Amino acid sequence: GKSTIKRISKLSNSEIENITKYLKITKFTESIKSEFDKNNFFLNFYNKPVLSIDNPVNYWIQSSVADFCCLTFYQFLKENSYLKMHAFIHDAIIVSCDKSNVQKMMKIKHLQDPISKISLPIKINYI
């Protein structure tokens, strides 16, 4: 909601309204609700059904981001078979590798989803 956005972002009401208009949030929300009314679900960015309409834009974003992370991490591990995955935590994975591969891993600067081709910078912590 706007009050939460204002509290977290420190933006003014008019700035929030301008961003909402620019992103066409009202139209997007209406389209999600219409899809849900027609099908009893709506589809996220990756065409996965979302079964609740409680907070449509938030659910669409969260569901899409979860799929993005799963696809991207899968692709990353497939391309770097020397890594061993230990845990998946929301938007992060914990991996290990032999010391001989640490420098190779530290050179990786971006991950890319093979479907959307969205590329995001990553941070690798070496312990």
Side-chain angles (χ1 to χ4, degrees):
K2 287 183 184 179
S3 62
T4 303
I5 293 169
K6 186 174 183 173
R7 181 176 41 82
I8 292 170
S9 69
K10 309 293 187 227
L11 294 171
S12 69
N13 286 333
S14 63
E15 289 171 316
I16 294 169
E17 189 63 34
N18 287 338
I19 292 169
T20 301
K21 285 180 183 177
Y22 178 79
L23 294 175
K24 300 177 183 173
I25 297 297
T26 302
K27 184 177 179 180
F28 184 55
T29 302
E30 289 169 3
S31 116
I32 290 173
K33 286 180 177 180
S34 174
E35 184 179 353
F36 188 87
D37 289 344
K38 181 179 172 189
N39 303 312
N40 249 6
F41 64 88
F42 61 90
L43 299 175
N44 74 4
F45 180 84
Y46 295 93
N47 292 317
K48 183 175 106 182
V50 178
L51 305 176
S52 177
I53 197 67
D54 292 339
N55 194 343
V57 173
N58 191 42
Y59 281 19
W60 186 91
I61 292 168
Q62 287 182 357
S63 175
S64 298
V65 169
D67 287 353
F68 171 85
C69 288
C70 288
L71 290 165
T72 304
F73 293 154
Y74 173 76
Q75 185 71 26
F76 173 70
L77 293 167
K78 196 166 106 175
E79 291 172 356
N80 299 284
S81 59
Y82 60 89
L83 296 173
K84 180 179 179 186
M85 187 174 94
H86 300 282
F88 174 76
I89 307 165
H90 301 290
D91 59 355
I93 55 175
I94 299 171
V95 299
S96 65
C97 68
D98 185 83
K99 286 184 179 187
S100 64
N101 289 312
V102 169
Q103 290 306 315
K104 185 191 317 185
M105 187 175 76
M106 297 303 285
K107 291 180 182 177
I108 301 168
K109 302 297 180 200
H110 292 85
L111 294 183
Q112 186 177 56
D113 161 24
I115 294 174
S116 69
K117 305 296 184 207
I118 295 171
S119 179
L120 294 177
I122 63 169
K123 179 180 181 184
I124 297 175
N125 291 322
Y126 173 70
I127 301 172

